[in-house]
Amino acid sequence: MTRTTAELDASAAKHLWGHFTRHGAGVTPPIITRGEGSTIWDSNGKSYIDGLSGLFVVQVGHGREELAEAAAKQAKELAFFPLWSYVTEPAVELAERLAGYAPGDLNRVFFTTGGGEAVESAWKLAKQYFKKVGKPGKHKVISRAIAYHGTPQGALAITGIPALKEPFEPLTPGAFRVPNTNIYRAPAPLDTDPKAFGIWAADRIAEAIEFEGPDSVAAVFLEPVQNAGGCFPPPPGYFERVREICDRYDVLLVSDEVICAFGRIGSMFACNDFGYVPDIITCAKGLTSGYSPIGAMIASDRLFEPFDDGTSSFAHGYTFGGHPVSAAVAMANLDIFEREGINAHVADKAPAFRTTLEKLHDLPIVGDVRGEGFFYGIELVKDKATKETFSDAEAERILRGFLSTALFDAGLYCRADDRGDPVVQLAPPLICGQKEFDEMEQILRSVLTEAGNLI
């Protein structure tokens, strides 16, 4: 039986609890019914450009039949079996493939069902690793201001967004913050010297380790390009200095690539784009292009070694971690990457994406356009000359009260985000080209012009 949109709206209002979603009278979230390529449709038949790849997920686009077929084939053969003292063929093959893409000696893959779980797993591994090598005091972690690392209690503690943490306090103790790499908001003269700013920002990590005590700090969690706050790329020299700092103090460097991996910046892993080798990579989202849930923590051989003695175990796991259906879908997704040259396509088209979005600089409300690959943020300002941002009330009125709905109504699904200064974020499927770039720019230009008139 096909239900009407009104019937589904009523049922959703009564039974469905949305994620990070406001509920109440007059709040009726759109119902998305299907997707094809970089386009999605709602229950009324209206189409939209998927300018956010669902949620930084659908790398190879919607409607890939071979990914659905890979899931069905595996489900018929072996729908489920855990990795608790057993292995499955899809999990083994996917682990081997990921290790092949990862830099350095990151050869050990621990599967989860999502990104937050991967981050949680990385912190737990860091704690247990240092206990096993005789440094039990090393348990603290350092991350950046405004950075988002997930919703589990440990991952939320690492997250640097106070408003997301406050409802759930007290959180897991031991997480501390350093400045992020938003050069647009850097103090003078650092705002005009990217190299100096990168070294300054990295040195704040060393300062935090010294302040907390090197014998107490286990890991530093950093995204290659920070998501929350609006796509902060690393300045030149930043990760080189961070790597030096982590080595100096025997602190693990965790590259949180839940968003940035699998072509979002260009390479399979974005640490390769920026020239650094972490101790751990966390990833999820684009690994299956969203066709089935999976995540992973990829660790170096050095971190695995203390557990490889025949008697020890990492006392951690998830029922659905490395689910055979999801692993099979991931393998098929990576086949598409290689067959269609998705990574090379991103590297080739990313400059055009940047150039197209930078046309918006002529709008008074656009303060900054920043990002890398197919991952960009457009920061909105009240005064372009002074970089004055909006008050909380103004941001609520312009972003939530106008922009989010207006952009969607105009045919563009993207994100208007005020977790830091107000931004619009774009991360389209990696199959997009100039046609989609131009369509997004035209919609943004029209709606942002109207938003500017509301100031």
Side-chain angles (χ1 to χ4, degrees):
M1 179 181 69
T2 302
R3 305 176 72 181
T4 66
T5 297
E7 289 171 336
L8 288 170
D9 285 339
S11 181
K14 187 174 182 180
H15 299 293
L16 186 61
W17 200 329
H19 299 199
F20 289 96
T21 299
R22 296 182 177 187
H23 294 273
V27 179
T28 306
I31 301 170
I32 306 303
T33 58
R34 68 185 182 96
E36 184 70 32
S38 59
T39 304
I40 55 174
W41 283 263
D42 67 17
S43 56
N44 296 313
K46 182 178 178 181
S47 65
Y48 309 83
I49 301 171
D50 182 357
L52 203 64
S53 300
L55 194 61
F56 316 104
V57 170
V58 189
Q59 315 294 66
V60 301
H62 299 274
R64 293 277 191 163
E65 289 187 9
E66 69 183 273
L67 298 184
E69 291 167 355
K73 181 175 183 292
Q74 181 59 44
K76 290 177 182 178
E77 295 176 357
L78 179 67
F80 172 75
F81 211 78
L83 297 182
W84 301 49
S85 301
Y86 299 87
V87 300
T88 64
E89 185 176 346
V92 172
E93 291 182 343
L94 181 58
E96 179 182 32
R97 194 163 187 175
L98 291 175
Y101 294 138
D105 69 340
L106 276 76
N107 293 315
R108 290 290 175 167
V109 181
F110 184 93
F111 286 114
T112 67
T113 58
E117 290 178 354
V119 171
E120 193 86 0
S121 301
W123 192 1
K124 290 183 74 173
L125 174 60
K127 289 180 177 180
Q128 191 177 359
Y129 167 78
F130 279 117
K131 285 180 171 62
K132 290 187 73 65
V133 299
K135 298 183 178 182
K138 292 176 79 70
H139 69 281
K140 297 175 184 176
V141 295
I142 293 168
S143 61
R144 297 183 289 203
I146 316 177
Y148 177 83
H149 292 282
T151 56
Q153 287 283 298
L156 186 57
I158 298 171
T159 291
I161 306 171
L164 293 185
K165 299 148 75 81
E166 186 274 332
F168 308 105
E169 292 175 338
L171 301 174
T172 305
F176 301 89
R177 231 65 54 210
V178 294
N180 58 47
T181 58
N182 182 6
I183 194 170
Y184 182 68
R185 294 290 176 185
L190 295 175
D191 59 339
T192 58
D193 189 339
K195 179 75 172 180
F197 175 61
I199 299 304
W200 174 87
D203 284 346
R204 302 289 71 75
I205 294 173
E207 184 178 83
I209 293 171
E210 286 283 357
F211 184 82
E212 293 301 324
D215 291 340
S216 72
V217 179
V220 175
F221 283 73
L222 303 174
E223 296 168 278
V225 177
Q226 182 175 319
N227 170 38
C231 303
F232 304 143
Y238 176 77
F239 274 111
E240 180 182 359
R241 178 62 69 91
V242 170
R243 182 69 268 181
E244 292 172 355
I245 290 166
C246 289
D247 290 341
R248 182 193 318 159
Y249 294 109
D250 192 19
V251 169
L252 305 183
L253 174 55
V254 181
S255 189
D256 183 358
E257 305 204 14
V258 172
I259 287 177
C260 292
F262 308 111
R264 180 56 54 193
I265 306 303
S267 300
M268 283 297 190
F269 293 112
C271 55
N272 290 327
D273 292 303
F274 298 117
Y276 67 97
V277 179
D279 300 290
I280 298 173
I281 293 172
T282 57
C283 59
K285 293 186 182 290
L287 178 50
T288 64
S289 286
Y291 284 71
S292 191
I294 198 170
M297 172 188 70
I298 309 172
S300 69
D301 288 334
R302 174 172 72 98
L303 299 186
F304 181 77
E305 185 178 358
F307 298 90
D308 195 23
D309 60 4
T311 59
S312 300
S313 67
F314 179 33
H316 178 59
Y318 299 100
T319 298
F320 295 113
H323 192 286
V325 172
S326 294
V329 172
M331 290 290 286
N333 179 57
L334 296 172
D335 286 345
I336 292 173
F337 264 81
E338 295 184 0
R339 185 176 68 246
E340 298 185 9
I342 297 294
N343 302 93
H345 175 80
V346 173
D348 180 56
K349 298 299 182 184
F353 189 37
R354 178 190 294 272
T355 299
T356 303
L357 293 179
E358 285 180 341
K359 293 178 182 179
L360 298 169
H361 269 304
D362 65 351
L363 299 180
I365 196 174
V366 173
D368 194 25
V369 176
R370 55 179 177 258
E372 293 287 345
F374 275 31
F375 186 35
Y376 272 81
I378 302 166
E379 182 166 336
L380 309 180
V381 293
K382 187 175 181 178
D383 187 307
K384 195 162 189 157
T386 64
K387 301 183 183 179
E388 180 185 0
T389 192
F390 299 97
S391 67
D392 290 345
E394 289 168 334
E396 173 73 19
R397 177 169 58 87
I398 294 172
L399 261 75
R400 296 186 185 274
F402 174 74
L403 266 181
S404 293
T405 301
L407 286 167
F408 192 70
D409 288 347
L412 174 62
Y413 165 68
C414 59
R415 168 183 268 182
D417 188 6
D418 61 352
R419 290 178 294 181
D421 293 309
V423 296
V424 173
Q425 282 187 293
L426 296 159
L430 306 185
I431 57 172
C432 287
Q434 192 62 52
K435 175 178 177 292
E436 290 80 13
F437 302 159
D438 288 339
E439 289 176 3
M440 286 186 280
E441 190 272 340
Q442 289 161 15
I443 293 172
L444 285 163
R445 176 171 295 280
S446 174
V447 175
L448 291 178
T449 297
E450 191 173 350
N453 294 332
L454 299 176
I455 301 173

